[in-house]
Amino acid sequence: MAKRLFTILCIMLAGWTAQAQAPDKLTSAEIHEAIQKLNFLGSALYVAAHPDDENTRLIAYLANEVKAETAYCSMTRGDGGQNLIGPEIRELLGVIRTQELLAARRVDGGNQFFTRANDFGYSKHPDETFTIWDKDQVMADLVWAIRKWQPDVIINRFDHRSPGSTHGHHTASAMLSVEAFDLASNSQAYREQLKTVDTWRPRRLFFNTSWWFYGSRENFQEADKSNLISVDVGVYYPRKGKSNTEIAAESRSMHKCQGFGSSGSRGEESEYLELLKGDMPETDEIFAGINTTWTRVAGGKPIGELLAKVEKNFNYEDPSASVPDLLRARQMIAGLPEGYWKKVKLAEVEQIIEACTGLYLEAVAEDYSSTPGEELELALEMINRSDIQVKVRSVRILPAGEDTTLNMMLENNVANRIYRNLHVPATLGYTNAYWLEEEGTLGMYKVEDQLLRGLPETPRPNKVVFMLTISGEPMMVSKDIVYKRTDPVKGEVYRPFEVIPAAAVRVAEPVYIFPDQEPREVTILVKSGRDSLAGNLSIDLPEGWRSEPVMHEVLLENKEAEQAYTFEVFPTQKGSAGELTPVFTTSDGTSYQREMVLIEYDHIPTQTILRPAAARVAKLDIEKRGERIAYIMGAGDEIPASLEQIGYQVDLLDVSDATLPNLQGYDALILGVRAYNTVNRIEFANPAMLEYVKQGGTMIVQYNTTRGLRIPSKDLGPYTFQLSRDRVAVEEAEVRFLEPDHPILNFPNQITEKDFEGWVQERGLYFPDEWSAEYTPILSANDPGEEPKDGGLLVARYGEGHYIYTGYSWFRELPAGVVGAYRLFANMISIGEAPRP
C-alpha cells in the first residue's frame, strides 16, 4: 500500500518542476518527439556535486537524441558559491541555483534531484568534505535517488580516484556514486526506504572523462582508450532547427548567478565515457545491449507495437488523429502490474493526449497569496482545440477537496471560464523551501520526511484536479493553482500561488555595530499578509541589553501594508555580541518571528522564502579614520551597508563616475568583489583610480578570479602582482602576522589573533602568489598540510597614497557581524591617516 501511495505521489510530482512558468504549449514536432520517447524504456542518472557541474551536452543528448529518461543528481544546491547577479548568498543563493538548475532542465529535457548535503564552501579534499557532510545521510539520499529513478546507466562527472586534485565535493560525489551503485541493490542497506521503493541494480557506471583529467589534449590523444566509449553529442535536430550543443549552451546559460553564459556550437563533438562498473557496451552506444523496448515489461510488447504505429502515422497537421490509439495505449499501460515504467509512461501518455487535443486547462487565483483560513476567487479556464469529444465531468479543488460537478462538453475552440472559491485550510502550512524549515548543521540540511528528500522544490498542495472524459475514456488532469497578471512591458507574467503568514517581521539591517555606549536606532518592519492586522511588536535582546520603548502597538489596515517601527537599543557596558530578534504577537496570542524574503529574477519563478528574522548586534572596541567612501559594486555584496554601521558615509559610484576630480573628495575608494571580472569598461577607469592613489588616496581592491579578468592581473595595481587560485578554505586556519608593526595592524585598532575568531565559511580566496617588492604582505595562513599563503593582504605605497589588494572574504565576514573583520577593515580604510614610520 505504501509503495502504491508513493507511486501516486510521484505521478502528482511530474509537473512540479515547472511551477508557475507559463504553461507548455507543445508544437506538433514536440508532440511527435514525445511519442518517440514514449516508446523508449531506458533511464540515465548523471551525478556531480554542485549546480553547473553537470555536462549539459550529454544530458541534452540523452534526453533528446536517445530519448532516455534523464536526470541530474546534484549533491548540493550551491549555497557556498558567489552571486554575480545580486546580493543573495548562502541559503538564498542555494534557492536561486536550485531554480536555475530547474530552468536548465526545462531547456535540455532532463529532470533534477538533490541530496541533503549543504555546500559549506570550498573543500580541498574529500576527507575534509566527509568530516562536514554526514556521509551516511548523503549516501542514503543518493541510494534513494537511484532506487526512485531506477537508472540503467549512471554517469559520474568526476573521477573518484583523484582526491586532492579538484574540489573535495567533486571527488566526494564520485566516491559516493561508486559505492551507491552496489548499495542500491542491497536489501540490507537503508531498509527503511523499502517501504516506498524497491532495490535497484543499475547496469553500468561510467566516468565522463575528457582531456582535462589527463592534464593536456596531447596526453589524452596518446592515452589507452580501450575502456572508453565515444559519443558524438553534436547531432543536429532538424525539427528543432538546433544542434544538440546549441541546446546545451542554452541550458548552461541558465546558471546566470555564476556567470556561465555560453555560446552555442555546431558540428561534431565527442564525449568520452570510461566504464567503471558493469558490462562494456559492444558499440559506442550508451544503452547498447540493454533492452529499452516495451518487451522489458511483462505484457508490454503489444504496447510498443501500437506506439510504433502511432509514431509512423502521426499527422503534423492534426495531432488529434492519434488520440484514439493513444487512449488504447493508455488503457494497456494502466492494465500493467505496478512498477516503475507503468508509473512513468502512464504520466507521459496522458500528457501527450492532453497536448494532441490542444487541451488548455488553467486555474488562476485572484491574488498571488493567501493566509491560512482565508477564501479567494479562482478562475478556471477550459478549452478543447480539436474535434475530439472532451467532457469536464467535475473539478476538485485541493487541498480542501471541494468537488463541483460540471458535465460540461468542451466544444472545439470554444472558451469556457467558470469561477469558484478556493478555501485555504486554517491548518495548511506556509509556502517555503522545505529544506530550510528546520535548522540543520554546517554540512547538512535537516529533512525528516523521506518523501521530500531529493525533491528540487516543495510540492504545492493548492491544485485543481479536472475529471475529464476523452472520447468516452475517463482521465484526470491536475494543475497547480497559479497567479498571473499582465505587465505593460513583459506581457503575461506568471507567479506561484503562495500561502503566507498573517504577518512577517524584518530587521532593517543584518548587523548593528555599537562602537561605544551610545544607543542606536534599530528599525523593525512589519508586513501584513492579510487585511486588518493588529498586535504588539517587541524585540528580544542579548542579556544585559535593553530597548526603549519595550513595545510598539501595530495596526495595519490592508494586506501588503508595511510599517517601520523604531527602537532605541542600549548595549551592555562590556563588549558582547548576540542576536536581536523581533517578535510580533496578535491579540489571540499568535507570535510571528520570521521574515519573508522575495527573490525575483526574470529567468526563474518568483521565490518566497521564510526564515528566522534576526540581526547581529555587537558592542565592540573599534575606532576609524575618515568619513566618506566611494564604492564601486562588483558581483554584488552587502559591504556598503556594513561600513555604514560603523559610521562611514558610503556612496555607490558607477564606474563612469570614477574620475579623478570625483574621487578626490573621498577618504577611500573600495572596489567590490570581482569588480574587474564583472564591471563593464572598468579597464578605462583604472588609470584614473590609480592616479587617485598616487595623489594621496587609499584604494582597496577585493578579490577577483583569474577567469574573465578585464585587465591582465599584472596591470591591476600600480605594481605587478599575479592572481592565482590559492585559497584558505578552513575558516579556523591560523592567521600569522608577517609584519606585526605595520600600521595596518596597529592603527587605529590594534589587531590580535582574537580578531580572526568566529570567521565564517573560509579565510579567503584567489590570493596573489607573486608580487613585486613594492608590496608588503601582511598576513599568512594556510589550510592543513599546505604551504603558507602570504598573498591574502598586500599593501603598497604609491606616490602619496596606499593601494591594498585583499583576497580575504570580507563580503562574507562583515554581513555576518564578525567583529575582528570590522576592526581590520577599518584599519585598511584608515591607513592614509596612520603615522608614517
Side-chain angles (χ1 to χ4, degrees), residues 716-783:
L716 292 181
Y719 313 109
T720 62
F721 61 84
Q722 189 66 43
L723 293 184
S724 73
R725 297 184 64 84
D726 286 352
R727 65 200 304 157
V728 181
V730 177
E731 58 266 36
E732 300 91 357
E734 178 192 7
V735 178
R736 299 171 292 275
F737 297 171
L738 300 174
E739 296 288 336
D741 295 329
H742 195 282
I744 207 167
L745 294 177
N746 294 279
F747 179 85
N749 304 289
Q750 186 172 4
I751 304 301
T752 69
E753 289 82 357
K754 187 176 178 61
D755 288 301
F756 292 92
E757 295 176 1
W759 281 48
V760 297
Q761 187 161 322
E762 62 198 349
R763 289 296 191 199
L765 60 172
Y766 292 96
F767 291 175
D769 61 353
E770 297 179 19
W771 51 87
S772 64
E774 289 85 355
Y775 291 102
T776 301
I778 303 298
L779 304 174
S780 178
N782 56 271
D783 286 323

Side-chain angles (χ1 to χ4, degrees), residues 572-639:
T572 56
Q573 291 291 329
K574 296 182 179 180
S576 68
E579 280 198 343
L580 177 155
T581 306
V583 182
F584 175 76
T585 306
T586 58
S587 56
D588 64 2
T590 305
S591 292
Y592 298 89
Q593 294 180 265
R594 292 204 279 184
E595 68 171 323
M596 190 162 59
V597 181
L598 211 60
I599 301 175
E600 295 183 285
Y601 293 100
D602 285 344
H603 65 299
I604 60 174
T606 299
Q607 299 296 298
T608 302
I609 303 299
L610 297 173
R611 63 177 183 176
R616 181 83 170 162
V617 291
K619 168 69 170 62
L620 64 124
D621 177 21
I622 186 170
E623 296 185 31
K624 69 177 184 66
R625 298 293 185 271
E627 299 295 332
R628 298 186 66 210
I629 293 173
Y631 200 97
I632 297 176
M633 294 294 290
D637 59 60
E638 297 177 2
I639 288 181

Side-chain angles (χ1 to χ4, degrees), residues 459-739:
R460 294 182 183 265
N462 297 103
K463 299 176 162 300
V464 172
V465 181
F466 296 85
M467 307 295 186
L468 309 175
T469 301
I470 301 178
S471 292
E473 288 292 323
M475 195 171 97
M476 180 180 75
V477 177
S478 177
K479 297 292 182 182
D480 283 337
I481 293 174
V482 297
Y483 170 73
K484 69 177 180 180
R485 63 183 177 84
T486 302
D487 184 271
V489 175
K490 300 175 184 177
E492 192 175 57
V493 176
Y494 282 79
R495 179 172 175 175
F497 175 73
E498 318 277 14
V499 179
I500 62 173
V505 290
R506 177 170 63 89
V507 190
E509 301 292 343
V511 178
Y512 288 88
I513 302 297
F514 294 76
D516 49 39
Q517 291 304 126
E518 293 299 312
R520 293 204 56 189
E521 288 189 349
V522 173
T523 300
I524 309 296
L525 296 101
V526 181
K527 186 171 185 177
S528 177
R530 58 173 171 80
D531 292 339
S532 302
L533 180 71
N536 298 317
L537 176 67
S538 59
I539 55 175
D540 289 341
L541 289 163
E543 185 177 355
W545 295 60
R546 65 183 179 88
S547 71
E548 293 182 2
V550 174
M551 182 183 68
H552 282 286
E553 291 187 0
V554 176
L555 177 61
L556 299 176
E557 294 289 346
N558 300 314
K559 178 179 179 177
E560 293 196 335
E562 188 173 48
Q563 182 68 46
Y565 300 88
T566 301
F567 294 84
E568 271 203 325
V569 173
F570 295 78
T572 56
Q573 291 291 329
K574 296 182 179 180
S576 68
E579 280 198 343
L580 177 155
T581 306
V583 182
F584 175 76
T585 306
T586 58
S587 56
D588 64 2
T590 305
S591 292
Y592 298 89
Q593 294 180 265
R594 292 204 279 184
E595 68 171 323
M596 190 162 59
V597 181
L598 211 60
I599 301 175
E600 295 183 285
Y601 293 100
D602 285 344
H603 65 299
I604 60 174
T606 299
Q607 299 296 298
T608 302
I609 303 299
L610 297 173
R611 63 177 183 176
R616 181 83 170 162
V617 291
K619 168 69 170 62
L620 64 124
D621 177 21
I622 186 170
E623 296 185 31
K624 69 177 184 66
R625 298 293 185 271
E627 299 295 332
R628 298 186 66 210
I629 293 173
Y631 200 97
I632 297 176
M633 294 294 290
D637 59 60
E638 297 177 2
I639 288 181
S642 300
L643 295 179
E644 288 173 346
Q645 285 295 318
I646 56 174
Y648 284 108
Q649 175 189 324
V650 183
D651 295 339
L652 298 181
L653 295 190
D654 187 270
V655 72
S656 61
D657 296 323
T659 62
L660 184 59
N662 285 347
L663 296 175
Q664 283 176 330
Y666 290 100
D667 298 298
L669 165 65
I670 303 175
L671 270 61
V673 297
R674 299 183 67 174
Y676 285 103
N677 298 121
T678 62
V679 177
N680 287 327
R681 301 184 65 80
I682 194 170
E683 60 270 32
F684 302 111
N686 209 49
M689 294 189 290
L690 293 180
E691 183 62 26
Y692 159 76
V693 177
K694 189 174 184 179
Q695 295 190 19
T698 297
M699 181 176 176
I700 301 170
V701 179
Q702 298 178 76
Y703 94 96
N704 291 268
T705 66
T706 54
R707 182 172 66 95
L709 277 174
R710 296 175 184 272
I711 301 175
S713 161
K714 64 182 181 63
D715 297 330
L716 292 181
Y719 313 109
T720 62
F721 61 84
Q722 189 66 43
L723 293 184
S724 73
R725 297 184 64 84
D726 286 352
R727 65 200 304 157
V728 181
V730 177
E731 58 266 36
E732 300 91 357
E734 178 192 7
V735 178
R736 299 171 292 275
F737 297 171
L738 300 174
E739 296 288 336

Side-chain angles (χ1 to χ4, degrees), residues 130 188 315 395 412 427 430 489-491 513 565 577 653 823:
F130 288 133
Q188 299 306 308
N315 184 343
V395 294
N412 187 355
T427 56
Y430 304 131
V489 175
K490 300 175 184 177
I513 302 297
Y565 300 88
L653 295 190
R823 286 164 44 83

Side-chain angles (χ1 to χ4, degrees), residues 37 40 42-44 61-70 109 287:
K37 182 179 180 182
F40 184 92
S43 58
Y61 172 82
L62 287 166
N64 294 279
E65 175 67 10
V66 179
K67 302 292 190 296
E69 304 290 335
T70 309
F287 286 89

Side-chain angles (χ1 to χ4, degrees), residues 17 24 33 37 44 56-65 67-72 101-112 149 237 240 244 247-248 250-252 348:
T17 56
D24 287 333
E33 288 180 355
K37 182 179 180 182
T56 56
R57 296 183 299 273
L58 200 52
I59 290 175
Y61 172 82
L62 287 166
N64 294 279
E65 175 67 10
K67 302 292 190 296
E69 304 290 335
T70 309
Y72 171 44
L101 271 177
L102 291 174
R105 299 294 81 81
R106 287 191 286 272
V107 172
D108 59 36
N111 287 267
Q112 187 62 50
W149 192 247
Y237 304 124
K240 298 179 185 293
N244 185 74
I247 294 172
E250 292 175 11
S251 172
R252 188 154 183 79
E348 286 183 9

Side-chain angles (χ1 to χ4, degrees), residues 153-230:
V153 174
I154 297 177
I155 302 172
N156 288 351
R157 184 69 182 107
F158 299 105
D159 189 353
H160 67 288
R161 300 158 296 193
S162 56
S165 63
T166 182
H167 198 319
H169 297 179
H170 291 170
T171 311
S173 72
M175 295 168 70
L176 289 163
S177 180
V178 169
E179 193 173 343
F181 181 87
D182 298 309
L183 281 176
S185 61
N186 184 348
S187 61
Q188 299 306 308
Y190 308 110
R191 296 180 63 180
E192 68 281 358
Q193 296 179 2
L194 302 182
K195 298 174 184 177
T196 46
V197 295
D198 293 314
T199 59
W200 179 252
R201 177 74 181 183
R203 181 76 172 265
R204 293 169 185 147
L205 174 65
F206 290 109
F207 161 43
N208 184 195
T209 190
S210 70
W211 67 265
W212 187 88
F213 293 96
Y214 288 76
S216 69
R217 296 182 186 274
E218 293 73 22
N219 290 346
F220 185 61
Q221 287 176 352
E222 297 171 3
D224 177 15
K225 298 183 180 62
S226 59
N227 200 37
L228 273 61
I229 65 171
S230 172

